[in-house]
Amino acid sequence: TVLVEQSALTVQGAEHFMAQHHSLSCSAVPIFGAHNQLMAILDVSNDFNMSQQHTLALVKMSAQMIENRLFLASHQGEVALHFHARPEFIGTLWEGVAMFTDGGQLVAINRSGQFQLSLNSQHANINDIHAKPQIDFSQLFDMPLASLIRQVGSAEELIIPLRLSNGARLYVKV
């Protein structure tokens, strides 16, 4: 079902199609690759009578860790922008990560970043390896990428506020 729906879900007991699986509680989450393609499903199954209410949340977190590692491993060498509306979430599973060329063209963005910048539906080919970059840094943020890099300098651990073009504030680490 997760393969078809491409979203997280839990199937418990008699909700399973096959009677021999009615004794199970299964929580499953899709894992998407660096180019938004479905790569795998992560499933945790246990005895229905010992169901844990937090299993789906833990499976989602594990899948997010895998997705983030796949994304970062697939996009080496570009300018990496780590961001979130709350500075304490930078460096966590929930941070957005966007990769830009040195000239400021968006190359790729993880799913958390797509959500935070509202790029999910209207820019479906963002991470398509065959598509040309269509979004420039200055279209998303209130300054060019070169200005941000000058502001950050060589401080790799510096987290600074940055405004989106719509005025919302994010915190970023380059």
Side-chain angles (χ1 to χ4, degrees), residues 13-50:
E15 293 175 346
H16 285 91
F17 178 73
M18 299 181 72
Q20 61 263 41
H21 294 147
H22 287 187
S23 63
L24 295 174
S25 175
C26 302
S27 297
V29 177
I31 296 174
F32 294 93
H35 304 291
N36 284 341
Q37 76 282 24
L38 182 64
M39 303 262 318
I41 303 297
L42 181 60
D43 174 89
V44 173
S45 298
N46 58 309
D47 186 307
F48 176 68
N49 296 317
M50 310 210 28

Side-chain angles (χ1 to χ4, degrees), residues 57-147:
L58 293 172
V59 177
K60 283 181 178 180
M61 288 173 56
S62 298
Q64 185 66 50
M65 289 173 64
I66 294 167
E67 283 186 12
N68 286 350
R69 293 296 299 256
L70 285 169
F71 181 84
L72 291 172
S74 298
H75 297 288
Q76 301 286 325
E78 293 99 354
V79 177
L81 187 74
H82 299 256
F83 59 92
H84 198 278
R86 296 179 55 182
E88 62 269 22
F89 285 132
I90 294 177
T92 70
L93 297 177
W94 301 278
E95 75 176 349
V97 180
M99 300 292 183
F100 292 90
T101 65
D102 290 336
Q105 292 294 311
L106 181 64
V107 174
I109 185 167
N110 71 353
R111 289 197 316 140
S112 178
Q114 290 173 37
F115 175 76
Q116 291 180 55
L117 299 181
S118 301
L119 295 176
N120 321 25
S121 56
Q122 71 253 50
H123 300 91
N125 66 347
I126 289 171
N127 294 337
D128 181 351
I129 56 176
H130 303 295
K132 299 266 188 222
Q134 301 172 7
I135 301 171
D136 189 74
F137 186 88
S138 56
Q139 289 175 275
L140 298 170
F141 301 101
D142 68 349
M143 71 169 64
L145 179 61
S147 298

